Amino acid sequence: MAEAAGFQGSERPRGRWLRRAAALIAGVPLLVGMLQFPDAPEARAASGPRTVDVSVDALTPTAPKKDDTLTVSGTLTNDGDSPITDAHVGLRLGPALSSRSAIDSAAKRTGFSSADGQEIQNRTQKIDKLEPGVSRPFTLQVPVKDLGLGSDGVYQLGVSLSGRAQGTSYEQVLGMKRTFLPWQTSDAEKKTQLTYLWPLISSTHLTAETDADAEQTPVFRNDNLAAEIAPGGRLQQLVALGKDLPVTFVIDPDVLASVDAMTKTYKVEGPNGPTAGKNQAVAKQWLSQVEEAVKTHEVVALPFGDPDLASLAHRGKEVPSALGHLGPATTLAAKTVETILGVKPRTDFAWPADGAVDSSIVDVATSGGSHNIIARSDSLQENSLSYSPTAARPIGGGNTAIVADARLSTAFEGDLSKAENSTLAIQQFLAQSLMVNGQEPGRQRNIVVAPQRTPSVSQAQAMAAGVKALAPGRWAEPLNLGGAAKAAPDPGANREVPGAGEYPDSLRRQELPTEAFEQIQKTQAALDDFELILSQPGRVVTPFGNAIMREMSTEWRGDAAGAAAFRTSVHSYLDGLTKNVQLIQKSDATLSGRSATIPVTVQNNLVQGVKGLTLELTSSQPNRLDAGEPQQIMVDGGHSQSFKFDTTANANGPVQVTAQLYTSDGKPYGRPMSFQVNVTEITSAIMLVIAVGVLLLVLAGVRIYLQRKRAAARRDEEEADDGNGGDGETDGDGPVQPGDPEPDTGSESTDASGSGEKVDR
């Protein structure tokens, strides 16, 4: 990026000439010494400006004023092979630097040169004999007025160790460390408006799993989140430091939701299964601290789970429904922050990984409702301006790119656990911010700083020190992100978003693969089908929906294996739940007759009931066996229930029958269950024979009945005749005549009738 020539009048020509002349004179003894010892290569190899490692561990004040005393302390370590004698450590003030790139060059330079300036006299510290491998601390104090600082600007400040290595009889610079001293004697004419983003973002901690209880006890992947929010932890430090700084909190609501889940009963996965979590008090304390901190700060909520916009744009857009998660994630973000923290966040900002943007990323971000895209100046680069322009600039379609300054945004990356690295980072951050202001002192601009998403504790502490050092406001004043988005853009600033082919390969390699979004789609489809059958769908849809959003998180970059394992675990757990509703395998059945009832059992091992399912039997040969009508299914949680199908047989023989559950939209649910039905139908000829036999038996019974009735009537007549005094047998109205036929039944008897008969009396 083009930048200004620097501060006007940063160094007088006369002063520059004098310093260069002094450096030349100082180099004469060194040249003479080299000419005197041409045959001592070992000594030369063991000495030089990098023989002693000079570590600058502290520098106060970071941006001194005229009446201050500058204190520089650190450590000296002999990395050579021979002792260092007659040594002393001192400060060297280099010239005022002319540009931002000059700061970069000075920070990278390792060898000693005249550009490092003259040693400040009478402010040195003697160092005793320094043996190889030995370290020794030092502290230098110099009144600022003795530094000889000129006009406002950024000066190179060096700490050098001068002495004699073994085999040399002359003094030389054996160690050198450079840093920067921002110098501003009074308030700038137009202060730079500085917007610093303060991220509360973490990796994925919650799984989709919950206990099968009324409270749906959540299960965490590990206990790392508890360590982050505990006193001294990364997230705890970010909140504690940020609450007193003029920053804008940028929050992934998933962090809040996860910590909120920890305030209640929760479990943590372990080698022997989930165990009870014990950090409820820590979780409550951290949420209370966040709630207090955001009362006086602007809050920007990223879509829930912080989805990787670049991965969605480059790999996910080809997968149906992948982009459909952004809108719900944004809606859930606002609801989560407002519910837990009691503040209404801004949800119209998108933050792609490392601020790298292209046209497809912008399209995806805006499709989710974000019309302010946080980019970075190494992505949306300047081509013509000689200064760093205001961050906001329109990019078409009613959208605004908020272009963060790349140098300031990356100032606190790397290992800052060492005091030296932290000190140097702070000084370089301040130097770059002052140089930005000095580029165009009569033009007020807004500069945005978007640091790494998940800074470590040491990085957060260095960030806080840098922001706090700007607080006096000599050249910068704070502005929140909302204000930065509304700032008037520079007319000449670049507004052209890079094409998709210009996205950095190093970042593209970190993206989620297309297969990841295909797996997410399968999980979502399975969840949609499962939801249709549940009596309490929220118990399943909420944890799994959140887990699916977490599968797309930007924090999976650099952890492809972990991302794949998480996706697999979510899908496998959902698959296991769906299999808790199933058909019980039925043994083969035999039907004797034209119709029969076939029972089929549905088992529900879920905690909640299922409904909206249809159970259907399908006959492989409908012309031989009609399996009956489909039935609507409703089974309570933890129960099994049988459903009976009225079947009709039309022919003998085995028939394959398949039972299948279907959702309300006609999709098969679960695996089908098949069994065989053997039909043994009775034929029409046999039925006719049986019918004729039954008819004959009925006719025979009628004949016997009539015969007995006639016989009873004759006996009654005979008894009547005997009662009238006749001495002969009568038949009907007269006596029985010889030759009359004998009756066809025996005389009436009071004995029981014969077997198989029933006599009516």
Side-chain angles (χ1 to χ4, degrees):
M1 180 175 67
E3 52 187 309
F7 291 95
Q8 296 179 356
S10 59
E11 185 175 5
R12 295 183 179 88
R14 177 180 175 84
R16 185 184 301 113
W17 183 86
L18 289 174
R19 292 187 183 188
R20 289 180 178 176
L24 181 61
I25 294 172
V28 171
L30 176 61
L31 180 61
V32 172
M34 292 176 65
L35 294 174
Q36 289 177 345
F37 299 96
D39 56 345
E42 294 82 8
R44 289 198 301 273
S47 63
R50 283 175 283 183
T51 302
V52 176
D53 177 67
V54 180
S55 172
V56 177
D57 299 332
L59 189 155
T60 57
T62 54
K65 297 179 181 180
K66 293 180 179 180
D67 297 331
D68 289 334
T69 295
L70 184 68
T71 301
V72 181
S73 60
T75 306
L76 306 169
T77 303
N78 185 358
D79 290 337
D81 298 328
S82 61
I84 305 298
T85 58
D86 300 327
H88 70 272
V89 61
L91 290 178
R92 294 176 181 268
L93 188 69
L97 300 171
S98 60
S99 65
R100 301 188 71 184
S101 58
I103 296 176
D104 298 335
S105 298
K108 295 176 183 177
R109 196 165 64 246
T110 56
F112 175 70
S113 70
S114 60
D116 291 315
Q118 293 298 307
E119 188 175 76
I120 299 173
Q121 298 299 314
N122 303 320
R123 297 295 178 181
T124 61
Q125 177 183 334
K126 290 185 178 181
I127 302 297
D128 294 337
K129 184 178 181 180
L130 195 61
E131 297 288 348
V134 173
S135 296
R136 187 160 295 137
F138 71 88
T139 298
L140 298 172
Q141 290 185 323
V142 181
V144 172
K145 62 182 180 180
D146 292 347
L147 292 175
L149 296 168
S151 58
D152 293 348
V154 175
Y155 289 83
Q156 176 187 298
L157 182 69
V159 178
S160 63
L161 186 283
S162 301
R164 297 178 181 178
Q166 186 176 17
T168 62
S169 59
Y170 56 90
E171 180 184 277
Q172 58 179 317
V173 176
L174 300 176
M176 183 77 187
K177 182 67 67 176
R178 297 170 188 83
T179 186
F180 306 99
L181 197 65
W183 177 241
Q184 183 80 19
T185 56
S186 60
D187 287 359
E189 177 184 353
K190 296 285 186 179
K191 297 180 182 179
T192 302
Q193 294 177 328
L194 192 81
T195 301
Y196 207 105
L197 308 187
W198 202 256
L200 296 183
I201 300 173
S202 185
S203 57
T204 295
H205 298 283
L206 265 177
T207 68
E209 184 178 353
T210 59
D211 265 6
D213 52 21
E215 293 75 19
Q216 286 190 278
T217 301
V219 179
F220 283 73
R221 298 173 62 215
N222 47 51
D223 223 4
N224 293 349
L225 183 58
E228 288 193 68
I229 63 175
R234 191 183 68 83
L235 287 173
Q236 189 274 335
Q237 283 290 289
L238 279 166
V239 175
L241 295 168
K243 69 182 178 66
D244 296 323
L245 297 174
V247 296
T248 294
F249 281 102
V250 180
I251 301 176
D252 175 6
D254 181 29
V255 175
L256 300 180
S258 299
V259 178
D260 185 62
M262 289 181 63
T263 63
K264 311 171 187 68
T265 302
Y266 72 97
K267 291 188 175 181
V268 180
E269 286 184 349
N272 300 319
T275 58
K278 303 176 181 179
N279 292 287
Q280 287 84 354
V282 170
K284 292 177 182 178
Q285 182 180 22
W286 186 80
L287 283 181
S288 177
Q289 291 172 345
V290 178
E291 185 177 357
E292 185 66 26
V294 300
K295 287 180 179 179
T296 54
H297 292 73
E298 182 182 52
V299 176
V300 170
L302 299 174
F304 191 94
D306 188 18
D308 191 336
L309 300 176
S311 294
L312 280 166
H314 300 153
R315 315 293 178 94
K317 64 181 180 182
E318 302 300 329
V319 179
S321 76
L323 298 183
H325 293 285
L326 273 181
T330 300
T331 302
L332 180 59
K335 181 180 179 181
T336 301
V337 174
E338 196 164 357
T339 300
I340 296 177
L341 298 183
V343 298
K344 189 172 183 178
R346 294 283 298 265
T347 58
D348 54 340
F349 288 90
W351 189 10
D354 287 359
V357 297
D358 59 27
S359 54
S360 62
I361 294 174
V362 172
D363 291 342
V364 167
T366 55
S367 71
S370 299
H371 299 289
N372 297 301
I373 317 300
I374 302 171
R376 208 166 69 183
S377 61
D378 52 355
S379 179
L380 201 65
Q381 298 182 12
E382 295 304 321
N383 301 316
S384 58
L385 292 182
S386 59
Y387 60 90
S388 301
T390 286
R393 62 202 66 177
I395 54 175
N399 303 313
T400 302
I402 314 297
V403 183
D405 186 88
R407 286 186 175 94
L408 296 178
S409 297
T410 59
F412 298 107
E413 294 184 354
D415 180 13
L416 300 188
S417 59
K418 295 181 179 179
E420 177 189 35
N421 294 346
S422 176
T423 298
L424 297 180
I426 293 169
Q427 294 306 124
Q428 190 163 349
F429 172 79
L430 296 175
Q432 289 285 1
S433 67
L434 178 56
M435 188 67 76
V436 167
N437 182 266
Q439 290 173 336
E440 288 284 321
R443 183 194 301 266
Q444 186 174 54
R445 287 158 291 145
N446 165 251
I447 301 298
V448 172
V449 181
Q452 59 272 36
R453 264 176 155 75
T454 54
S456 65
V457 171
S458 57
Q459 289 171 341
Q461 291 170 342
M463 287 162 50
V467 175
K468 189 176 294 184
L470 294 175
R474 276 179 281 167
W475 64 85
E477 61 185 15
L479 181 68
N480 61 29
L481 187 58
K486 295 179 180 179
D490 278 276
N494 180 26
R495 304 181 183 188
E496 184 177 352
V497 176
E502 299 177 64
Y503 191 79
D505 291 338
S506 59
L507 292 178
R508 193 179 291 272
R509 286 192 292 269
Q510 298 177 10
E511 293 176 349
L512 295 171
T514 302
E515 293 76 12
F517 293 100
E518 291 173 345
Q519 187 174 10
I520 290 171
Q521 182 190 24
K522 291 179 181 178
T523 303
Q524 183 64 59
L527 179 62
D528 293 341
D529 291 341
F530 194 37
E531 177 184 2
L532 294 175
I533 74 167
L534 301 175
S535 60
Q536 302 175 42
R539 288 178 59 91
V540 171
V541 172
T542 298
F544 276 98
N546 293 349
I548 288 174
M549 293 179 188
R550 294 179 180 115
E551 291 178 3
M552 298 183 288
S553 177
T554 304
E555 279 60 60
W556 289 119
R557 284 179 174 252
D559 187 14
F566 184 76
R567 292 193 302 271
T568 300
S569 68
V570 172
H571 188 82
S572 298
Y573 182 56
L574 178 60
D575 186 57
L577 288 181
T578 60
K579 289 178 180 178
N580 280 333
V581 180
Q582 61 180 339
L583 297 170
I584 300 299
Q585 182 61 47
K586 182 177 178 59
S587 59
D588 295 343
T590 300
L591 298 186
S592 299
R594 296 182 65 84
S595 61
T597 299
I598 297 179
V600 177
T601 302
V602 178
Q603 185 181 56
N604 176 18
N605 287 329
L606 297 173
V607 174
Q608 61 177 299
V610 295
K611 59 181 181 59
L613 281 171
T614 299
L615 178 57
E616 183 177 327
L617 290 188
T618 303
S619 171
S620 62
Q621 301 180 60
N623 59 325
R624 300 178 64 185
L625 178 67
D626 183 356
E629 296 296 322
Q631 297 193 41
Q632 297 298 312
I633 302 302
M634 184 178 294
V635 183
D636 292 336
H639 288 74
S640 297
Q641 187 171 339
S642 294
F643 298 88
K644 298 180 180 179
F645 288 81
D646 295 328
T647 60
T648 302
N650 299 316
N652 287 339
V655 177
Q656 192 77 11
V657 176
T658 300
Q660 176 68 62
L661 291 169
Y662 292 90
T663 59
S664 58
D665 56 357
K667 294 181 181 179
Y669 181 88
R671 295 181 179 178
M673 184 269 292
S674 298
F675 59 96
Q676 183 173 284
V677 176
N678 188 27
V679 180
T680 56
E681 185 183 4
I682 301 174
T683 65
S684 300
I686 295 176
M687 292 294 293
L688 180 60
V689 171
I690 293 175
V692 171
V694 171
L695 179 60
L696 292 175
L697 288 174
V698 171
L699 292 176
V702 171
R703 180 174 179 275
I704 293 172
Y705 172 75
L706 293 176
Q707 287 177 345
R708 289 180 176 177
K709 188 173 182 180
R710 286 196 297 271
R714 285 196 295 271
R715 284 194 297 273
D716 289 341
E717 291 176 356
E718 291 174 357
E719 290 177 355
D721 290 342
D722 292 340
N724 293 329
D727 56 357
E729 294 180 350
T730 62
D731 181 14
D733 295 335
V736 179
Q737 301 294 326
D740 287 342
E742 294 290 326
D744 58 359
T745 60
S747 60
E748 182 178 351
S749 172
T750 59
D751 295 335
S753 61
S755 175
E757 294 183 343
K758 180 178 180 182
V759 180
D760 294 331
R761 297 184 182 273

